Amino acid sequence: EVQLVESGGGLVQPGRSLKLSCAASGFTFSNYYMAWVRQAPKKGLEWVATISTSGSRTYYPDSVKGRFTISRDNAKSSLYLQMNSLKSEDTATYYCARHVATTYWYFDFWGPGTMVTVSS
Amino acid sequence: DIQMTQSPPSLSASLGDKVTITCQASQNINKYIAWYQQKPGKAPRLLIRYTSTLESGTPSRFSGSGSGRDYSFSISNVESEDIASYYCLQYDNLPTFGGGTKLELK
């Protein structure tokens, strides 16, 4: 059974940093592109980052480019999101998600999410 | 970036109704659209990929259609378990979601 479990969320002050983790199991992690998707309270879904199977290629929307860094450790079947210079508008539930294939970038499995609150 | 305009933002339906949600892309997305269902406090669930292909486990009362820039998602014979929010996602380019549609019971 595919499982994705996020951790590392919490309350953080504006301008500070936070690192999220996602533990994957039930599939060959190194064969899949992985992503982070977020959802602000009572708002819609926003794709935040994607990483290739080897980790050599990363992709971001303009809203987080230069502040967020996605990475992975295939030996540990783990995905990470380093978030720097956090802003109040980064407050959201962050989901770890699996891309279905390298050429088709929709998401087939999601974790339950971890909440990040950016506030002083 | 491709923008996805989803409508309506909310929808009220009675059990047994047919409802339709639309998404319009800012450019041709070549049928690369997926639809998700999200219940409160839960992660999204993939229902449909490539415009109209139902995922395993998706009831047949769900359907999708469209081409070019314009796409639609329908639920025929709405059931109580269908009360949720629905999102479209284009994946022809870097992924972008529609704004969502909240389906409520009338």
Side-chain angles (χ1 to χ4, degrees), chain A residues 75-120:
Chain A
K76 294 183 178 179
S77 294
S78 292
L79 180 71
Y80 307 100
L81 184 67
Q82 177 68 47
M83 304 185 292
N84 298 332
S85 304
L86 282 162
K87 307 174 183 180
S88 58
E89 52 263 43
D90 296 318
T91 293
T93 296
Y94 284 74
Y95 296 101
C96 168
R98 189 179 82 167
H99 282 290
V100 75
T102 58
T103 49
Y104 299 113
W105 278 29
Y106 62 98
F107 314 103
D108 58 353
F109 285 97
W110 301 61
T114 188
M115 182 68 197
V116 173
T117 302
V118 182
S119 175
S120 54

Side-chain angles (χ1 to χ4, degrees), chain B residues 33-95:
Chain B
I33 188 168
W35 291 92
Y36 292 84
Q37 177 191 67
Q38 187 181 33
K39 296 186 176 180
K42 299 293 188 182
R45 170 195 171 197
L46 176 64
L47 297 177
I48 290 174
R49 59 181 164 88
Y50 196 58
T51 297
S52 59
T53 302
L54 269 61
E55 288 296 296
S56 174
T58 300
S60 59
R61 64 181 179 275
F62 293 92
S63 64
S65 64
S67 63
R69 295 176 56 208
D70 298 307
Y71 298 85
S72 63
F73 168 85
S74 295
I75 311 172
S76 60
N77 299 314
V78 167
E79 298 188 6
S80 57
E81 66 184 35
D82 301 334
I83 301 308
S85 293
Y86 293 86
Y87 294 89
C88 63
L89 167 74
Q90 71 77 23
Y91 55 101
D92 184 61
N93 206 313
L94 295 181

Side-chain angles (χ1 to χ4, degrees), chain A residues 52-69:
Chain A
S52 63
T53 51
S54 66
S56 61
R57 285 166 289 176
T58 57
Y59 308 84
Y60 307 92
D62 289 344
S63 58
V64 306
K65 196 176 295 182
R67 298 190 301 121
F68 289 12
T69 302

